[in-house]
Amino acid sequence: MPLPRPFVGGNWKMNLRLASAVELAEDLHAALSSQPTEPAIDAVVFPPFPYLQGVGRALGHGPPALGAQDLSAHEDGAFTGQVSAAMLDDLDARWVIVGHSERRHGLAEPQSVIRAKLIRGLEADLKVVFCVGETLAEREGGHAERTLVHQVRSGLEGLEAAWFRSIVVAYEPVWAIGTGRTAHPDDAAEAHRWIRQTLGDLYDSGLAAATRVVYGGSVTAANAAELFSRPEIDGGLVGGASLKAESFAAICRAAATRVS
Ligand code: PGA
């Protein structure tokens, strides 16, 4: 079976200002447009909400595509500060991140809300990057597999199989995010096998093999090629290194060469 189409996401988090966000978008658009189009990858940037429109204009039809860092679990109404799927659609944001550890752990976002957001996004025809990952205490306590299986099951169990074409699972060990401490490619690959095994148990091995599972946590231009050389790792979700056009473009190139 051919490997799934690679995905590389740039999560800009709460960084940049409008002018620097637009400039980064223009630089990325120029860099990615001049790269060979085959083999293709999905490259997506996730700017802060207030900059979605300006960045979207700078990107035109892309690449990269446009995504949002979060969405509301609700459709419309009295939800101060929240942003709905329909609003993202208005801004041509086609992707959204849910379950990121900075919300899951940092803001104590419960699993039930993460799942509701995931479903809201899928119902609105958004593509969803669903993040899972163990804490350092869970890994050191020998519970990484149990944690990932639980997060995958509670997020994805019972969803329509057809939706998995619109889901990218991001394995993001919490201890590797923003720390400069990347997971060893062997450990990342093992975690990806646990995730796929869980999808195989919930659905079937064909769905598990076709669903993209990407790695996030201190991915850089220097370590991307080695991570992406593992057949289990279909690309990356990148924070810090996505804030520079050269490093994000280099990570995209590393993902593209993986399937050639
Ligand atoms: P990082 O962030 O690349 O800065 O570690 C990754 C993420 O949070 O997705």
Side-chain angles (χ1 to χ4, degrees):
M1 188 182 284
L3 294 173
R5 178 183 170 93
F7 167 92
V8 179
N11 178 3
W12 295 358
K13 307 192 179 180
M14 198 172 72
N15 290 301
L16 306 170
R17 292 293 180 270
L18 180 57
S20 51
V22 168
E23 192 183 329
L24 175 58
E26 287 167 352
D27 291 350
L28 273 176
H29 181 55
L32 297 184
S33 305
S34 63
Q35 287 184 10
T37 52
E38 290 299 330
I41 69 163
D42 282 324
V44 186
V45 291
F46 298 86
F49 283 135
Y51 302 158
L52 277 171
Q53 190 164 28
V55 167
R57 281 200 189 115
L59 295 176
H61 295 294
L66 186 66
Q69 297 173 20
D70 186 32
L71 87 168
S72 175
H74 304 283
E75 198 172 344
D76 263 314
F79 300 102
T80 302
Q82 299 199 32
V83 175
S84 71
M87 292 170 183
L88 299 183
D89 188 55
D90 279 344
L91 297 177
D92 291 327
R94 299 282 164 246
W95 290 79
V96 68
I97 297 171
V98 301
H100 193 281
S101 74
E102 285 152 17
R103 301 195 64 88
R104 199 189 271 278
H105 298 289
L107 297 174
E109 195 166 281
Q111 190 60 54
S112 56
V113 171
I114 294 168
R115 182 176 169 97
K117 289 181 172 186
L118 175 80
I119 292 173
R120 178 69 62 199
L122 292 167
E123 283 177 346
D125 274 339
L126 294 171
K127 294 189 172 156
V128 180
V129 181
F130 171 61
C131 304
V132 294
E134 81 285 358
T135 62
L136 188 59
E138 286 163 340
R139 175 153 287 265
E140 288 180 348
H143 305 313
E145 180 175 6
R146 196 171 75 192
T147 302
L148 293 174
V149 169
H150 173 70
Q151 290 176 350
V152 169
R153 279 186 171 268
S154 43
L156 303 179
E157 185 162 18
L159 298 186
E160 281 174 41
W163 273 350
F164 282 79
R165 286 197 288 275
S166 299
I167 296 172
V168 171
V169 181
Y171 167 60
E172 299 212 302
V174 178
W175 45 270
I177 296 177
T179 59
R181 193 178 156 195
T182 317
H184 190 282
D186 291 344
D187 293 334
E190 180 180 49
H192 286 219
R193 286 195 294 277
W194 293 333
I195 291 167
R196 281 220 168 76
Q197 179 63 50
T198 309
L199 293 176
D201 293 345
L202 291 174
Y203 294 88
D204 57 65
S205 57
L207 182 144
T211 300
R212 289 179 283 185
V213 184
V214 304
Y215 168 79
S218 300
V219 176
T220 64
N223 61 28
E226 195 186 351
L227 284 160
F228 302 163
S229 70
R230 308 297 156 121
E232 294 90 344
I233 302 179
D234 300 316
L237 185 58
V238 186
S242 72
L243 296 173
K244 293 262 183 305
E246 317 82 72
S247 53
F248 189 70
I251 293 166
C252 290
R253 277 196 297 278
T257 50
R258 139 179 218 273
V259 289
S260 57

